[in-house]
Amino acid sequence: MRIVLGVAGGIAAYKAVLLLRLLRESGHDVRVVPTRSALQFVGRATWEALSGEPVTTDVFDDVDEVAHVAIGRAADLVVVAPATADLLARAASGRADDLLTATLLTCGCPVLFAPAMHTEMWSHAATRANVATLRSRGVHVLEPDSGRLTGSDSGPGRLPEPESLLAAALALVPARPEDLSGRRVVISTGGTREPLDPVRYLGNRSSGRQGYALAAAAVARGAEVLVVAANVTLPPPAGVHLVDVETASELRDAVRQAAGAADAVVMAAAVADFRPAQAAAAKIKKNVGMPQLSVDLVETVDILAELVAERRPGQVVVGFAAETGDADADVLEHGRAKARRKGADLLAVNPVGHGRGFGSLDNDVTLVDAHGAVVGTVTGSKLDVAHAVWDAVLRAW
Ligand code: CTP
């Protein structure tokens, strides 16, 4: 899901940091939209680092993207935690004076407010009326916890703990059936690095997001999930077994070892097609007067083709094809040809380059079978793509 985490300016903003982590670990893409005063409590760098997305507070930032409309429209769920008395008042009166309130006016998805403030502010008639107004419009407003507040005071007004916020937020969207329960799946993700010398490597721009989304979706649907991650810096989804690898050869060993017992293997990793024939034992030096350096590359093993050849009955093998169109054929034609060549049960074809695919947050994928026939298309978050892949795997089983 694409979730907007709105953060208003209260001391409890620190708990929203933990909520952000939990939402990310559950596989969701999260766009944090703090108010200006929220940044007094937790800085932009923290939100950006943990969400992996840009953070702005003002409708006049990123005007070309029309962020105040785009963020709300794309959201599957909006959670505002903490929601201060001021934020509740602005939301109730339909203000649009910052990016968060503008987002609240443009989203068409479920909205959850988790208020946190001093007891007097929470019980004030103005706040009560604002909460009643919001609830009458179908917005979910949690009751705050009772207990120690910022100073020596205590009473109703505490932000609930991040785990309960997570449960309350996810309860607003229909849960997926556990239709992968009892299934073992293996997912490779990330991008391999092939050493040139002790400090340099040949690599690629894969972030590992799509593989982690596949893993989070499979866990949510009840599967036992092993992820082979090549150089992924993002936090892995909760509930997976993780094997970290660096090179194509390490990835091959780890995936093949796990594939024997797997009902499905998904190769979402960007595996190097070539590696340096030899990795230099010492750092390669620049030679004065020698402006060129040639490196011999040798082909790596095509792991997907090998998995297809070794596939046992009932096992489904899925590949990903990151394609760019060229003079010979468009993205889909290249993908269909690759599907026929590789023979995987499913190939997820997605266009890359020019800001699409690698590292980006939304994907645009066509699923084709081993004959190159289109069996599905999906546009949306990487989690949406992940669920579409598992839907297709279920059909293939
Ligand atoms: N793949 C693999 N082993 C390799 C290279 C790729 O298993 N040595 C897998 C990838 O994980 C992906 C699929 O093959 O699932 C397609 O990868 P891609 O790089 O698009 O395919 P290539 O056969 O390398 O084709 P191209 O010539 O377009 O690079």
Side-chain angles (χ1 to χ4, degrees), residues 34 41 51 54 74 80 83 202-203 213 218 227 235 246 248 265 308 312 388 390:
F41 295 93
S51 68
V80 184
L202 290 183
V227 177
E246 189 178 346
V265 185
V308 169
R312 57 180 179 76
W390 293 124

Side-chain angles (χ1 to χ4, degrees), residues 27-110:
H28 303 289
D29 294 329
V30 185
R31 173 84 185 223
V32 182
V33 184
T35 61
R36 233 159 292 143
S37 53
L39 295 181
Q40 303 276 349
F41 295 93
V42 178
R44 191 186 305 263
T46 302
W47 301 121
E48 289 190 340
L50 289 176
S51 68
E53 299 201 26
V55 168
T56 50
T57 59
D58 205 284
V59 282
F60 297 108
D61 297 325
D62 300 326
V63 176
D64 54 330
E65 285 179 29
V66 204
H68 68 291
V69 180
I71 294 173
R73 279 193 187 150
D76 300 307
L77 174 68
V78 176
V79 182
V80 184
T84 55
D86 178 67
L87 194 278
L88 292 172
R90 290 193 293 131
S93 55
R95 299 281 295 268
D97 42 7
D98 61 9
L99 188 55
L100 178 53
T101 45
T103 298
L104 287 166
L105 285 183
T106 51
C107 67
C109 59

Side-chain angles (χ1 to χ4, degrees), residues 23 118 180 203 232 289 332 369 395:
L23 290 168
H118 288 282
L180 299 182
V232 180
L332 184 57
D369 68 12
R395 288 195 297 270

